[in-house]
Short mmCIF file of all heavy atoms in Angstrom, two decimals:
data_model
loop_
_atom_site.label_atom_id
_atom_site.label_comp_id
_atom_site.label_asym_id
_atom_site.label_seq_id
_atom_site.Cartn_x
_atom_site.Cartn_y
_atom_site.Cartn_z
N ARG I 190 27.10 -191.85 -9.47
CA ARG I 190 28.53 -191.71 -9.76
C ARG I 190 28.84 -192.56 -10.91
O ARG I 190 28.51 -193.72 -10.93
CB ARG I 190 29.35 -192.10 -8.49
CG ARG I 190 30.80 -192.05 -8.76
CD ARG I 190 31.53 -192.33 -7.44
NE ARG I 190 32.91 -192.63 -7.67
CZ ARG I 190 33.74 -193.18 -6.71
NH1 ARG I 190 33.17 -193.55 -5.62
NH2 ARG I 190 34.97 -193.33 -7.02
N HIS I 191 29.52 -192.07 -11.97
CA HIS I 191 29.94 -192.87 -12.99
C HIS I 191 31.39 -192.99 -13.07
O HIS I 191 32.22 -192.15 -12.68
CB HIS I 191 29.49 -191.96 -14.36
CG HIS I 191 28.16 -191.91 -14.61
ND1 HIS I 191 27.15 -192.70 -14.03
CD2 HIS I 191 27.48 -190.91 -15.45
CE1 HIS I 191 25.94 -192.18 -14.37
NE2 HIS I 191 26.14 -191.18 -15.16
N VAL I 192 31.77 -194.23 -13.25
CA VAL I 192 33.31 -194.53 -13.41
C VAL I 192 33.49 -194.99 -14.74
O VAL I 192 32.97 -196.00 -15.26
CB VAL I 192 33.78 -195.54 -12.34
CG1 VAL I 192 35.28 -195.80 -12.50
CG2 VAL I 192 33.42 -195.12 -11.00
N ILE I 193 34.30 -194.25 -15.45
CA ILE I 193 34.58 -194.51 -16.91
C ILE I 193 36.06 -194.74 -17.11
O ILE I 193 36.88 -193.92 -16.73
CB ILE I 193 34.05 -193.36 -17.83
CG1 ILE I 193 32.48 -193.38 -17.57
CG2 ILE I 193 34.31 -193.63 -19.25
CD1 ILE I 193 31.94 -191.97 -18.02
N ARG I 194 36.41 -195.84 -17.74
CA ARG I 194 37.86 -196.13 -17.90
C ARG I 194 38.09 -196.65 -19.34
O ARG I 194 37.51 -197.54 -19.84
CB ARG I 194 38.21 -197.25 -16.99
CG ARG I 194 39.55 -197.28 -16.54
CD ARG I 194 39.89 -198.57 -15.89
NE ARG I 194 41.18 -199.11 -16.54
CZ ARG I 194 41.25 -200.03 -17.38
NH1 ARG I 194 40.13 -200.64 -17.88
NH2 ARG I 194 42.31 -200.44 -17.91
N LEU I 195 38.92 -195.97 -20.03
CA LEU I 195 39.27 -196.36 -21.42
C LEU I 195 40.79 -196.86 -21.35
O LEU I 195 41.67 -196.07 -21.00
CB LEU I 195 39.18 -195.25 -22.47
CG LEU I 195 37.87 -195.06 -23.04
CD1 LEU I 195 36.79 -194.48 -22.14
CD2 LEU I 195 37.96 -194.07 -24.38
N GLY I 196 41.01 -198.19 -21.73
CA GLY I 196 42.36 -198.65 -21.73
C GLY I 196 43.16 -198.05 -22.99
O GLY I 196 42.54 -197.25 -23.82
N ARG I 197 44.38 -198.46 -23.14
CA ARG I 197 45.17 -197.94 -24.24
C ARG I 197 44.49 -198.13 -25.55
O ARG I 197 44.09 -199.23 -25.86
CB ARG I 197 46.58 -198.69 -24.29
CG ARG I 197 47.45 -198.23 -23.17
CD ARG I 197 48.55 -199.39 -22.98
NE ARG I 197 49.31 -198.99 -21.84
CZ ARG I 197 50.51 -198.43 -21.97
NH1 ARG I 197 50.92 -198.05 -23.25
NH2 ARG I 197 51.18 -198.00 -20.92
N ASN I 198 44.69 -197.12 -26.34
CA ASN I 198 44.00 -197.01 -27.76
C ASN I 198 42.54 -197.43 -27.77
O ASN I 198 42.09 -197.83 -28.83
CB ASN I 198 44.85 -198.00 -28.61
CG ASN I 198 46.25 -197.58 -28.58
OD1 ASN I 198 46.56 -196.38 -28.72
ND2 ASN I 198 47.22 -198.51 -28.49
N ALA I 199 41.85 -197.41 -26.68
CA ALA I 199 40.39 -197.74 -26.73
C ALA I 199 39.72 -196.59 -27.39
O ALA I 199 40.35 -195.42 -27.31
CB ALA I 199 39.89 -198.02 -25.31
N LYS I 200 38.49 -196.80 -27.76
CA LYS I 200 37.74 -195.76 -28.44
C LYS I 200 36.31 -195.79 -28.08
O LYS I 200 35.67 -196.88 -28.19
CB LYS I 200 37.96 -195.79 -29.94
CG LYS I 200 37.61 -194.57 -30.70
CD LYS I 200 38.00 -194.51 -32.06
CE LYS I 200 37.43 -193.27 -32.71
NZ LYS I 200 37.73 -193.19 -34.10
N LEU I 201 35.66 -194.74 -27.78
CA LEU I 201 34.27 -194.67 -27.35
C LEU I 201 33.66 -193.43 -27.65
O LEU I 201 34.18 -192.34 -27.47
CB LEU I 201 34.13 -194.99 -25.78
CG LEU I 201 32.69 -195.07 -25.25
CD1 LEU I 201 32.02 -196.19 -25.77
CD2 LEU I 201 32.85 -195.07 -23.65
N ARG I 202 32.45 -193.49 -28.03
CA ARG I 202 31.57 -192.29 -28.28
C ARG I 202 30.44 -192.37 -27.27
O ARG I 202 29.67 -193.37 -27.18
CB ARG I 202 30.89 -192.29 -29.68
CG ARG I 202 31.94 -191.62 -30.68
CD ARG I 202 31.54 -192.10 -32.15
NE ARG I 202 30.19 -191.71 -32.44
CZ ARG I 202 29.55 -192.48 -33.50
NH1 ARG I 202 30.12 -193.49 -34.03
NH2 ARG I 202 28.30 -192.13 -33.71
N LEU I 203 30.39 -191.42 -26.32
CA LEU I 203 29.49 -191.41 -25.31
C LEU I 203 28.45 -190.30 -25.42
O LEU I 203 28.79 -189.20 -25.69
CB LEU I 203 30.34 -191.28 -23.98
CG LEU I 203 29.80 -191.73 -22.63
CD1 LEU I 203 29.42 -193.30 -22.69
CD2 LEU I 203 30.84 -191.53 -21.58
N ILE I 204 27.19 -190.60 -25.14
CA ILE I 204 26.11 -189.63 -25.12
C ILE I 204 25.60 -189.54 -23.67
O ILE I 204 25.09 -190.60 -23.15
CB ILE I 204 25.04 -189.91 -26.13
CG1 ILE I 204 25.63 -189.97 -27.49
CG2 ILE I 204 23.96 -188.88 -25.94
CD1 ILE I 204 24.61 -190.45 -28.56
N LEU I 205 25.73 -188.53 -22.97
CA LEU I 205 25.30 -188.42 -21.52
C LEU I 205 24.17 -187.49 -21.49
O LEU I 205 24.21 -186.25 -21.87
CB LEU I 205 26.36 -187.90 -20.69
CG LEU I 205 27.67 -188.85 -20.57
CD1 LEU I 205 28.68 -188.10 -19.80
CD2 LEU I 205 27.25 -190.14 -19.97
N THR I 206 22.97 -188.02 -21.30
CA THR I 206 21.72 -187.24 -21.34
C THR I 206 21.23 -187.09 -19.83
O THR I 206 21.00 -188.10 -19.20
CB THR I 206 20.70 -187.86 -22.16
OG1 THR I 206 21.39 -188.21 -23.51
CG2 THR I 206 19.43 -187.14 -22.43
N THR I 207 20.87 -185.92 -19.45
CA THR I 207 20.37 -185.67 -18.12
C THR I 207 19.00 -184.97 -18.31
O THR I 207 18.90 -183.97 -18.88
CB THR I 207 21.20 -184.88 -17.23
OG1 THR I 207 22.51 -185.41 -17.30
CG2 THR I 207 20.72 -184.88 -15.83
N VAL I 208 17.84 -185.66 -17.90
CA VAL I 208 16.56 -185.11 -18.04
C VAL I 208 15.73 -185.21 -16.75
O VAL I 208 15.97 -186.14 -15.91
CB VAL I 208 15.71 -185.80 -19.15
CG1 VAL I 208 16.26 -185.39 -20.57
CG2 VAL I 208 15.64 -187.23 -19.01
N ALA I 209 14.75 -184.40 -16.61
CA ALA I 209 13.78 -184.47 -15.47
C ALA I 209 12.41 -184.50 -16.03
O ALA I 209 12.11 -183.69 -16.94
CB ALA I 209 14.04 -183.30 -14.60
N LEU I 210 11.61 -185.39 -15.62
CA LEU I 210 10.16 -185.46 -16.11
C LEU I 210 9.28 -185.04 -14.96
O LEU I 210 9.39 -185.50 -13.86
CB LEU I 210 9.97 -186.97 -16.41
CG LEU I 210 10.87 -187.64 -17.54
CD1 LEU I 210 10.60 -189.07 -17.63
CD2 LEU I 210 10.75 -186.93 -18.81
N GLY I 211 8.38 -184.13 -15.45
CA GLY I 211 7.30 -183.78 -14.37
C GLY I 211 7.80 -182.79 -13.35
O GLY I 211 9.02 -182.34 -13.40
N GLN I 212 7.05 -182.49 -12.43
CA GLN I 212 7.35 -181.51 -11.31
C GLN I 212 7.93 -182.17 -10.17
O GLN I 212 7.36 -183.21 -9.69
CB GLN I 212 6.04 -180.76 -10.91
CG GLN I 212 5.48 -179.84 -12.08
CD GLN I 212 6.37 -178.79 -12.25
OE1 GLN I 212 6.85 -178.18 -11.37
NE2 GLN I 212 6.60 -178.34 -13.47
N ALA I 213 8.87 -181.58 -9.66
CA ALA I 213 9.45 -181.94 -8.34
C ALA I 213 10.54 -181.03 -7.93
O ALA I 213 11.18 -180.21 -8.79
CB ALA I 213 10.01 -183.37 -8.37
N GLU I 214 10.89 -180.97 -6.68
CA GLU I 214 11.97 -180.23 -6.23
C GLU I 214 13.09 -181.28 -5.98
O GLU I 214 12.87 -182.34 -5.33
CB GLU I 214 11.76 -179.58 -4.89
CG GLU I 214 12.80 -178.47 -4.61
CD GLU I 214 12.60 -177.93 -3.19
OE1 GLU I 214 11.54 -177.84 -2.65
OE2 GLU I 214 13.64 -177.52 -2.55
N SER I 215 14.22 -181.09 -6.70
CA SER I 215 15.17 -182.17 -6.66
C SER I 215 16.62 -181.56 -6.78
O SER I 215 16.88 -180.47 -7.15
CB SER I 215 15.06 -183.18 -7.76
OG SER I 215 15.07 -182.54 -9.06
N LEU I 216 17.55 -182.44 -6.22
CA LEU I 216 18.93 -182.00 -6.29
C LEU I 216 19.71 -183.33 -6.92
O LEU I 216 19.63 -184.41 -6.30
CB LEU I 216 19.54 -181.84 -4.94
CG LEU I 216 21.11 -181.67 -4.90
CD1 LEU I 216 21.59 -180.54 -5.64
CD2 LEU I 216 21.53 -181.66 -3.49
N LEU I 217 20.30 -183.02 -8.02
CA LEU I 217 21.07 -184.20 -8.63
C LEU I 217 22.60 -183.75 -8.39
O LEU I 217 22.97 -182.70 -8.88
CB LEU I 217 20.80 -184.31 -10.14
CG LEU I 217 21.54 -185.28 -10.96
CD1 LEU I 217 21.23 -186.71 -10.56
CD2 LEU I 217 21.45 -185.13 -12.48
N ASN I 218 23.22 -184.64 -7.79
CA ASN I 218 24.63 -184.34 -7.51
C ASN I 218 25.49 -185.54 -8.02
O ASN I 218 25.75 -186.50 -7.36
CB ASN I 218 24.88 -184.21 -6.02
CG ASN I 218 26.38 -184.01 -5.65
OD1 ASN I 218 27.13 -183.57 -6.40
ND2 ASN I 218 26.70 -184.56 -4.42
N GLN I 219 25.90 -185.31 -9.28
CA GLN I 219 26.52 -186.41 -10.03
C GLN I 219 28.06 -186.17 -10.12
O GLN I 219 28.60 -185.08 -10.23
CB GLN I 219 25.95 -186.52 -11.44
CG GLN I 219 26.62 -187.57 -12.33
CD GLN I 219 25.67 -187.75 -13.54
OE1 GLN I 219 24.40 -187.87 -13.44
NE2 GLN I 219 26.28 -187.79 -14.66
N VAL I 220 28.81 -187.28 -9.97
CA VAL I 220 30.18 -187.18 -10.10
C VAL I 220 30.71 -188.15 -11.08
O VAL I 220 30.16 -189.26 -11.19
CB VAL I 220 30.95 -187.41 -8.65
CG1 VAL I 220 32.48 -187.62 -8.94
CG2 VAL I 220 30.68 -186.37 -7.75
N GLU I 221 31.59 -187.76 -11.94
CA GLU I 221 32.11 -188.78 -12.93
C GLU I 221 33.69 -188.75 -12.98
O GLU I 221 34.28 -187.68 -12.77
CB GLU I 221 31.74 -188.31 -14.34
CG GLU I 221 30.22 -188.22 -14.60
CD GLU I 221 29.98 -187.29 -15.72
OE1 GLU I 221 30.88 -186.75 -16.28
OE2 GLU I 221 28.77 -186.91 -15.96
N THR I 222 34.22 -189.95 -12.77
CA THR I 222 35.64 -189.97 -12.92
C THR I 222 36.02 -190.68 -14.17
O THR I 222 35.56 -191.86 -14.48
CB THR I 222 36.34 -190.66 -11.74
OG1 THR I 222 35.68 -191.88 -11.34
CG2 THR I 222 36.24 -189.84 -10.48
N VAL I 223 36.79 -190.13 -14.93
CA VAL I 223 37.07 -190.66 -16.39
C VAL I 223 38.60 -190.67 -16.61
O VAL I 223 39.32 -189.80 -16.50
CB VAL I 223 36.47 -189.69 -17.38
CG1 VAL I 223 36.58 -190.30 -18.82
CG2 VAL I 223 35.02 -189.38 -17.13
N GLU I 224 38.97 -191.99 -16.88
CA GLU I 224 40.40 -192.26 -17.14
C GLU I 224 40.63 -192.57 -18.67
O GLU I 224 39.83 -193.46 -19.23
CB GLU I 224 40.88 -193.44 -16.39
CG GLU I 224 41.43 -193.04 -15.05
CD GLU I 224 42.04 -194.35 -14.41
OE1 GLU I 224 42.86 -195.02 -15.03
OE2 GLU I 224 41.52 -194.62 -13.25
N ILE I 225 41.37 -191.78 -19.38
CA ILE I 225 41.57 -192.01 -20.71
C ILE I 225 43.10 -192.40 -20.91
O ILE I 225 43.99 -191.48 -20.79
CB ILE I 225 41.21 -190.81 -21.61
CG1 ILE I 225 39.81 -190.29 -21.26
CG2 ILE I 225 41.39 -191.07 -23.04
CD1 ILE I 225 39.46 -188.95 -21.64
N ALA I 226 43.34 -193.68 -21.07
CA ALA I 226 44.73 -194.12 -21.08
C ALA I 226 45.48 -193.74 -22.38
O ALA I 226 44.79 -193.24 -23.28
CB ALA I 226 44.73 -195.63 -20.85
N ASP I 227 46.66 -194.03 -22.44
CA ASP I 227 47.48 -193.59 -23.70
C ASP I 227 46.95 -193.94 -24.95
O ASP I 227 46.41 -195.10 -25.19
CB ASP I 227 48.95 -194.27 -23.52
CG ASP I 227 49.72 -193.82 -22.40
OD1 ASP I 227 49.24 -192.90 -21.65
OD2 ASP I 227 50.83 -194.37 -22.07
N GLY I 228 46.76 -193.07 -25.78
CA GLY I 228 46.30 -193.31 -27.20
C GLY I 228 44.82 -193.50 -27.25
O GLY I 228 44.24 -193.71 -28.35
N ALA I 229 44.13 -193.49 -26.11
CA ALA I 229 42.59 -193.72 -26.21
C ALA I 229 41.92 -192.33 -26.71
O ALA I 229 42.41 -191.30 -26.68
CB ALA I 229 42.10 -194.06 -24.79
N ASP I 230 40.70 -192.63 -27.04
CA ASP I 230 39.92 -191.47 -27.68
C ASP I 230 38.50 -191.52 -27.12
O ASP I 230 37.76 -192.43 -27.35
CB ASP I 230 40.05 -191.65 -29.19
CG ASP I 230 39.31 -190.52 -29.97
OD1 ASP I 230 38.47 -189.77 -29.36
OD2 ASP I 230 39.68 -190.32 -31.22
N LEU I 231 38.08 -190.43 -26.55
CA LEU I 231 36.75 -190.42 -25.96
C LEU I 231 35.99 -189.17 -26.50
O LEU I 231 36.55 -187.96 -26.45
CB LEU I 231 36.85 -190.34 -24.50
CG LEU I 231 35.47 -190.30 -23.65
CD1 LEU I 231 34.59 -191.39 -23.95
CD2 LEU I 231 35.66 -189.99 -22.16
N THR I 232 34.86 -189.36 -27.03
CA THR I 232 34.04 -188.28 -27.54
C THR I 232 32.65 -188.38 -26.61
O THR I 232 32.15 -189.31 -26.42
CB THR I 232 33.66 -188.47 -29.00
OG1 THR I 232 34.81 -188.60 -29.66
CG2 THR I 232 32.84 -187.24 -29.50
N ILE I 233 32.41 -187.15 -26.11
CA ILE I 233 31.19 -187.08 -25.22
C ILE I 233 30.23 -185.98 -25.77
O ILE I 233 30.72 -184.86 -26.04
CB ILE I 233 31.48 -186.69 -23.79
CG1 ILE I 233 32.43 -187.75 -23.20
CG2 ILE I 233 30.20 -186.73 -23.04
CD1 ILE I 233 32.87 -187.40 -21.77
N ASP I 234 29.02 -186.26 -25.99
CA ASP I 234 27.97 -185.31 -26.33
C ASP I 234 27.05 -185.30 -25.05
O ASP I 234 26.50 -186.32 -24.72
CB ASP I 234 27.22 -185.65 -27.51
CG ASP I 234 28.00 -185.43 -28.87
OD1 ASP I 234 28.82 -184.49 -28.92
OD2 ASP I 234 27.85 -186.31 -29.70
N ARG I 235 26.87 -184.11 -24.44
CA ARG I 235 26.19 -184.11 -23.16
C ARG I 235 25.12 -183.21 -23.22
O ARG I 235 25.26 -182.00 -23.72
CB ARG I 235 27.21 -183.78 -22.12
CG ARG I 235 26.69 -183.80 -20.73
CD ARG I 235 27.65 -183.15 -19.75
NE ARG I 235 28.95 -183.70 -19.61
CZ ARG I 235 29.25 -184.62 -18.65
NH1 ARG I 235 28.30 -185.01 -17.81
NH2 ARG I 235 30.44 -185.13 -18.57
N THR I 236 23.91 -183.51 -22.67
CA THR I 236 22.89 -182.49 -22.61
C THR I 236 22.46 -182.47 -21.08
O THR I 236 22.27 -183.60 -20.53
CB THR I 236 21.58 -182.81 -23.43
OG1 THR I 236 21.15 -184.16 -23.22
CG2 THR I 236 21.92 -182.63 -24.89
N LEU I 237 22.40 -181.27 -20.51
CA LEU I 237 21.96 -181.11 -19.17
C LEU I 237 20.66 -180.43 -19.24
O LEU I 237 20.65 -179.17 -19.53
CB LEU I 237 23.06 -180.42 -18.38
CG LEU I 237 24.45 -181.13 -18.23
CD1 LEU I 237 25.38 -180.09 -17.64
CD2 LEU I 237 24.24 -182.25 -17.18
N GLU I 238 19.65 -181.18 -18.84
CA GLU I 238 18.39 -180.44 -18.88
C GLU I 238 17.51 -180.79 -17.64
O GLU I 238 17.43 -181.99 -17.26
CB GLU I 238 17.47 -181.00 -20.12
CG GLU I 238 16.35 -180.26 -20.47
CD GLU I 238 15.58 -180.88 -21.65
OE1 GLU I 238 15.91 -181.96 -22.06
OE2 GLU I 238 14.46 -180.38 -22.02
N GLN I 239 17.14 -179.68 -16.95
CA GLN I 239 16.42 -179.99 -15.75
C GLN I 239 15.15 -179.00 -15.78
O GLN I 239 15.08 -178.17 -16.58
CB GLN I 239 17.29 -179.69 -14.50
CG GLN I 239 18.45 -180.57 -14.32
CD GLN I 239 18.05 -181.83 -13.65
OE1 GLN I 239 17.54 -181.94 -12.52
NE2 GLN I 239 18.35 -182.95 -14.40
N GLY I 240 14.27 -179.25 -14.78
CA GLY I 240 13.06 -178.39 -14.86
C GLY I 240 13.03 -177.29 -13.78
O GLY I 240 14.06 -177.16 -13.01
N GLN I 241 11.86 -176.72 -13.66
CA GLN I 241 11.64 -175.73 -12.58
C GLN I 241 11.92 -176.38 -11.21
O GLN I 241 11.45 -177.50 -11.04
CB GLN I 241 10.31 -175.08 -12.67
CG GLN I 241 10.19 -173.83 -13.51
CD GLN I 241 11.26 -172.79 -13.07
OE1 GLN I 241 11.31 -172.51 -11.85
NE2 GLN I 241 12.06 -172.35 -14.00
N GLY I 242 12.47 -175.62 -10.27
CA GLY I 242 12.64 -176.15 -8.86
C GLY I 242 13.67 -177.23 -8.80
O GLY I 242 13.87 -177.95 -7.77
#
Side-chain angles (χ1 to χ4, degrees):
Chain I
R190 175 172 171 199
H191 298 335
V192 180
I193 299 161
R194 203 197 133 255
L195 271 71
R197 285 161 185 264
N198 302 316
K200 197 172 174 184
L201 180 65
R202 277 155 59 203
L203 202 55
I204 298 169
L205 299 174
T206 308
T207 309
V208 287
L210 302 173
Q212 288 295 315
E214 194 189 333
S215 61
L216 169 67
L217 177 71
N218 175 27
Q219 179 164 313
V220 172
E221 301 156 2
T222 48
V223 184
E224 270 183 51
I225 306 166
D227 296 355
D230 184 338
L231 176 65
T232 306
I233 302 175
D234 289 322
R235 185 196 295 269
T236 53
L237 294 169
E238 196 186 0
Q239 296 280 303
Q241 268 307 310

